[in-house]
Amino acid sequence: MASLSSGSSREAKSGFWKKNSNNVPLPGSIKQVYGAQHPPPYSDVKTPGWPQRKDDRPKNNKRDAFQEFENKTSDAWDDGDDDLMEMANLRLSLKDVHSSARVVLDNHSKKTQAANRQQQQQQQLTSISSTETASFKGNGASSPGTPPHSSPTHAPAHLHPAGPGLGVRQGGGGYQPPKMTSIRYVTDRPPDREANKIEKFKALFKEPSLDLSDLRKLCWSGIPKAVRPTAWKILSGYLPTAADRRQEILERKRKEYFGYIDQYYETRYQELHEETFRQILKDIPRMTSLAHLFQEKPVQEIFERILYIWAIRHPASGYVQGINDLVTPFFVVFLSEYIENDIEVENCDLTELSQTTRDVIEADSFWCMSKLLDGIQDNYTFAQPGIQMKVNALRELIKRIDAPLYNHLEQQGVEFLQFSFRWMNNLLMREIPLRCTIRLWDTYQAEVNGFADFHLYVCAAFLKRFSEDALREHDFQGILMLLQNLPTLHWRDKEMSELLAEAYKLKYMFADAPRHLLLKS
């Protein structure tokens, strides 16, 4: 893609800010973030139970050129991710955008159709040959016409139909929720391999005044599930280091949260806040990391209250799409304090838990999410300056540590904003499985300003890990589809440990020399 001259770019930026200067959100109102969430599968989303009004229609029917382009290319990449091109569009001509979009659509459709045909042929061959090979089962032989054992995972990695980057889409890809299982309550028998480390944590928790540096060292390499809830609450700053004050703080903060519910939650249908709450209602059922869990009405209501109260209390940003994802790890970790079910792969009815237990999980999730966002709130304020700076820093870092990849992206016209915006906005939650996100957050919590600073080095290590795959892609759409749907579905602690070790090396090299990452004027 051809880029505009620097003078034209400045004029475009100036025009952009003038055009949008009147769109600063009111306190508690919503400012949507493109790329953070998948758009609804149909344009007019009816929210159950929402008060209907005669004038409940868009007041401005005027649509800009990018919105028209967006609607024409909604299936080109991960739904919702092409929205982030609005910011990158400042440096692109609309003609080039349309041209590239058509190429992307054609290639994507051809590859998808080819993959579907191949899968159907394999299924037909398997069905036809099953009767012919019945007599060979005893000795393990197979018919010459029988294809080798195969699965959709033999397709190129970036076309994996269920990769976490693509997300588990409600009603798409043949997704079926896990079978319902009964709740298994937590016991006091930790695995033997974790027993020694758990004892170290418990001894540290009992100290009258806990040393945070000791706790961080212990947490950096991962926290056992049995002690993770307490460790996260302390590292988040929600619980104090003084052991004798923790229970008092917990009771007071939980009471304070439900006081906010009583005070503010009834305002969600008022004209000033209704768009904020409407967007929250749309986003929660579409959250992909635990699609089955977020279909339970009690869970949806918990997230509705958490997100709405946070938005009301933080008018500088209000609710922004992407913040809803950041509640999930806290919710799952604090839920694990009471049940042993693996929420990522099991579907259990959380109404089996008492209302008191669910209230405790809700309040603790709210406060810990609030503490996290306090450190990265510039990611979600107007124009999202925090994300813009991090994307630019990532670009400069890759330029220094992986010049071939950087040059390849430049030659193919791939902007870092087009794929790394979501990495910064959602803290890689859409790129890796939930179990890996929780392991990653163990280290983020252990690092000072981990979510704000160390995340940059993790993103650089993450991109560098797939450098060879990206270099094998020789066109714009191939690179972008790879980077938006990276093959991490089967990642475990091993892969995360390798990623974090590489990120730590980068931090050691560059954190004490930040001027190396400053953009050249």
Side-chain angles (χ1 to χ4, degrees), residues 460-516:
F462 189 64
L463 180 56
K464 192 173 185 294
R465 187 181 181 94
F466 295 99
S467 177
E468 293 183 2
D469 299 294
L471 289 171
R472 283 194 291 267
E473 299 288 345
H474 298 296
D475 54 21
F476 172 86
Q477 63 268 24
I479 296 172
L480 207 57
M481 290 179 70
L482 167 68
L483 294 179
Q484 291 183 339
N485 299 283
L486 292 166
T488 60
L489 181 64
H490 303 294
W491 275 26
R492 299 279 176 181
D493 281 358
K494 176 180 178 293
E495 288 80 8
M496 293 308 300
S497 296
E498 293 171 354
L499 180 69
L500 289 166
E502 181 65 23
Y504 184 80
K505 286 168 54 179
L506 295 176
K507 176 193 172 187
Y508 186 81
M509 293 168 58
F510 291 97
D512 292 332
R515 291 185 64 83
H516 286 295

Side-chain angles (χ1 to χ4, degrees), residues 249-437:
I249 294 293
L250 279 176
E251 293 175 0
R252 179 168 60 82
K253 298 298 282 185
R254 289 165 181 169
K255 183 178 180 181
E256 184 178 347
Y257 168 71
F258 284 101
Y260 292 145
I261 296 291
D262 295 337
Q263 182 177 358
Y264 296 118
Y265 197 57
E266 290 299 322
T267 67
R268 64 193 183 278
Y269 294 121
Q270 293 179 3
E271 185 175 0
L272 179 62
H273 304 304
E274 64 178 358
E275 283 304 316
T276 297
F277 191 63
R278 187 192 298 272
Q279 190 63 47
I280 290 171
L281 292 180
K282 290 178 182 177
D283 288 346
I284 290 173
R286 302 201 305 264
M287 292 171 68
T288 60
S289 54
L290 291 173
H292 55 280
L293 184 65
F294 294 117
Q295 305 315 306
E296 294 187 22
K297 187 60 177 176
V299 176
Q300 291 182 3
E301 291 173 349
I302 287 173
F303 275 67
E304 289 166 12
R305 289 191 292 267
I306 289 174
L307 295 170
Y308 182 74
I309 297 303
W310 189 89
I312 291 297
R313 298 190 69 246
H314 295 81
S317 63
Y319 171 70
V320 174
Q321 291 174 323
I323 291 178
N324 52 330
D325 278 340
L326 305 186
V327 186
T328 307
F330 290 115
F331 180 81
V332 172
V333 166
F334 298 151
L335 181 63
S336 71
E337 196 170 2
Y338 301 94
I339 66 174
E340 290 186 343
N341 303 66
D342 186 348
I343 295 298
E344 189 172 19
V345 297
E346 293 185 60
N347 192 4
C348 53
D349 185 0
L350 296 188
T351 58
E352 294 180 27
L353 291 173
S354 68
Q355 184 63 51
T356 300
T357 299
R358 282 180 278 153
D359 287 348
V360 164
I361 295 169
E362 177 180 344
D364 293 349
S365 298
F366 169 81
W367 287 114
C368 287
M369 182 204 72
S370 297
K371 293 289 185 180
L372 184 161
L373 289 171
D374 285 348
I376 58 172
Q377 193 167 357
D378 60 346
N379 285 7
Y380 304 104
T381 53
F382 179 70
Q384 298 178 273
I387 289 180
Q388 293 189 48
M389 288 189 292
K390 289 181 178 69
V391 169
N392 289 335
L394 176 64
R395 182 176 181 274
E396 289 301 307
L397 188 53
I398 292 298
K399 184 177 181 180
R400 294 178 180 278
I401 66 174
D402 197 337
L405 174 61
Y406 175 85
N407 292 332
H408 185 57
L409 297 178
E410 287 284 303
Q411 290 166 4
Q412 299 301 327
V414 178
E415 296 285 344
F416 275 71
L417 187 67
Q418 293 166 340
F419 61 87
S420 64
F421 178 92
R422 186 173 70 185
W423 298 7
M424 304 300 178
N425 192 65
N426 299 74
L427 299 178
L428 289 177
M429 283 193 62
R430 293 297 179 98
E431 322 310 319
I432 58 178
L434 179 62
R435 59 183 176 274
C436 295
T437 296

